[in-house]
Amino acid sequence: MTSIYILLAAVLIFILVLIKYIRIIPQSEQYVIERLGSYHATWGVGIHVMVPFIDRIANRISLKELVMNSNPQPVITKDNITMSIDTVLFFQITDAFAYTYGVNNPLAAIENLTTTTLRNIIGDLELDETLTSRDIINSKMRVSLDEAANAWGIKVLRVEVKNIVPPKDIQDTMEKQMRAERERREAILKAEGEKKSAILVAEGQKQAMILEAEAKKQSQILAAQADKESIILKAEADKEAAIRTAEGEAQAILEVQQATAKGLELISKAMPTDQAMTLKALEAFSAIANGQATKIIIPSDIQGIAGLTTSITEIMQNKNTK
């Protein structure tokens, strides 16, 4: 019975030892295995069995991207300004063997390398360049750190400068400069606003004057056109009146001529005697004498009037005969 207990205990101990030396490695890790004190293998994902009392795990390596924050470091710029800068480093272990055996305490080595590299880069820059060149600083640090850490199995992915803290007096000076710059910009914006306002007012006045001049010009044009049309209408009216007057006078002359012709025709039909014609001539001269004329021309031979009348009578008789 005692031997059975001893056997069960031995089996239990063997199972416990076996469980202890069986390792299931997850996806994001690697194990560095040493056998009898020397490097044996690097185990990846899966189930692995160690030889009891011979193999041991020298290092457990995480393959995930790691982040390391560095403490604020005092650095001196090219123009001898001391400031404090802290950075954050993103890196990944790509070679478990080199990471384990390449350097003692790799994280401390990376942190110290970050500090020295940062001081070298800032030492080549002036204060203003340091404050405005974060991308350049990040790029230079990443290249330099990646080149140095490659021998330790570390891949530097990114380096970011978190804070740049100048000395207090520099900060006060910068704040004063920023305040002065803001005031200057405000004054410029105010002046530009006033300038634009004045320009707009002047343009408005100019436009108003132009419109007023255009309106006055248009009014003068319309007045001139009205005067012109009035003169034309008046001239046309005067012309029409003159035409009407001339037509009336012509009509009157025509009617007088027709009346005269008709009177001569009646005289011709009546066949007056020489004595009657002479008498009428004397009456006509008497009427002329009683008028307003200052000069009267009397034929030298009054008998000539009767002769003239007789001639006219003969002409009318011949016309009627025809």
Side-chain angles (χ1 to χ4, degrees):
M1 192 69 179
T2 304
S3 61
I4 294 174
Y5 289 142
I6 293 173
L7 180 61
L8 291 175
V11 172
L12 182 59
I13 293 173
F14 177 76
I15 292 173
L16 292 175
V17 171
L18 185 63
I19 291 174
K20 180 181 179 181
Y21 285 94
I22 293 176
R23 291 289 183 268
I24 299 175
I25 301 176
Q27 179 68 41
S28 59
E29 292 184 359
Q30 286 183 348
Y31 287 5
V32 177
I33 306 300
E34 291 181 353
R35 178 168 292 177
L36 299 176
S38 63
Y39 172 76
H40 172 64
T42 300
W43 288 351
V45 60
I47 300 176
H48 300 273
V49 179
M50 298 172 59
V51 177
F53 309 109
I54 295 177
D55 293 342
R56 78 177 187 91
I57 300 173
N59 200 357
R60 292 180 175 87
I61 306 300
S62 175
L63 300 179
K64 295 180 181 179
E65 184 175 343
L66 304 176
V67 180
M68 184 179 67
N69 289 304
S70 64
N71 297 323
Q73 301 294 329
V75 294
I76 301 175
T77 62
K78 187 177 181 179
D79 48 355
N80 295 323
I81 303 298
T82 302
M83 62 177 61
S84 178
I85 300 178
D86 57 334
T87 60
V88 57
L89 180 67
F90 299 87
F91 64 97
Q92 187 176 21
I93 299 171
T94 57
D95 189 344
F97 176 82
Y99 182 78
T100 302
Y101 300 104
V103 65
N104 186 28
N105 196 350
L107 295 181
I110 285 292
E111 185 175 1
N112 291 327
L113 182 62
T114 301
T115 301
T116 55
T117 303
L118 179 62
R119 288 175 177 174
N120 290 334
I121 293 173
I122 299 300
D124 293 333
L125 300 175
E126 295 183 354
L127 175 62
D128 294 339
E129 294 177 326
T130 303
L131 297 175
T132 59
S133 304
R134 292 197 178 201
D135 292 339
I136 297 175
I137 296 172
N138 295 338
S139 178
K140 289 183 177 181
M141 286 188 65
R142 189 198 66 79
V143 173
S144 180
L145 291 175
D146 184 60
E147 182 179 355
N150 185 51
W152 306 334
I154 298 174
K155 175 66 177 178
V156 179
L157 302 176
R158 293 185 306 280
V159 179
E160 299 292 340
V161 175
K162 289 198 303 182
N163 296 310
I164 300 177
V165 183
K168 181 63 177 176
D169 55 343
I170 299 296
Q171 293 184 29
D172 294 340
T173 303
M174 292 173 61
E175 290 178 0
K176 292 179 181 179
Q177 289 178 349
M178 292 176 61
R179 190 179 299 111
E181 181 66 19
R182 286 195 297 268
E183 292 175 353
R184 185 182 69 85
R185 291 180 180 178
E186 181 181 0
I188 291 174
L189 291 176
K190 184 178 180 180
E192 289 180 351
E194 293 176 352
K195 177 183 177 182
K196 290 181 180 179
S197 176
I199 291 173
L200 291 175
V201 170
E203 288 181 351
Q205 294 176 351
K206 176 184 176 182
Q207 191 67 22
M209 293 176 64
I210 292 173
L211 292 176
E212 184 179 357
E214 289 288 340
K216 186 176 181 180
K217 176 183 176 183
Q218 192 68 20
S219 176
Q220 291 176 352
I221 291 173
L222 293 176
Q225 289 179 350
D227 293 341
K228 177 182 177 182
E229 292 177 358
S230 176
I231 293 171
I232 291 173
L233 291 175
K234 183 178 180 182
E236 289 180 351
D238 293 341
K239 177 182 177 183
E240 187 68 21
I243 291 172
R244 296 291 184 182
T245 302
E247 289 178 351
E249 291 177 354
Q251 186 67 26
I253 293 172
L254 179 61
E255 290 178 357
V256 170
Q257 293 296 329
Q258 289 178 352
T260 303
K262 188 174 182 181
L264 292 175
E265 183 178 358
L266 292 175
I267 292 172
S268 176
K269 288 181 179 181
M271 294 182 180
T273 60
D274 294 338
Q275 292 80 4
M277 293 300 295
T278 303
L279 182 60
K280 288 294 183 180
L282 291 174
E283 290 177 355
F285 282 114
S286 176
I288 293 171
N290 291 330
Q292 298 296 325
T294 57
K295 293 182 180 181
I296 299 174
I297 300 173
I298 299 175
S300 60
D301 187 5
I302 194 65
Q303 186 66 31
I305 296 174
L308 177 62
T309 302
T310 301
S311 300
I312 292 173
T313 301
E314 291 178 355
I315 291 171
M316 295 301 298
Q317 287 178 355
N318 293 331
K319 183 178 182 182
N320 290 332
T321 304
K322 292 180 180 180

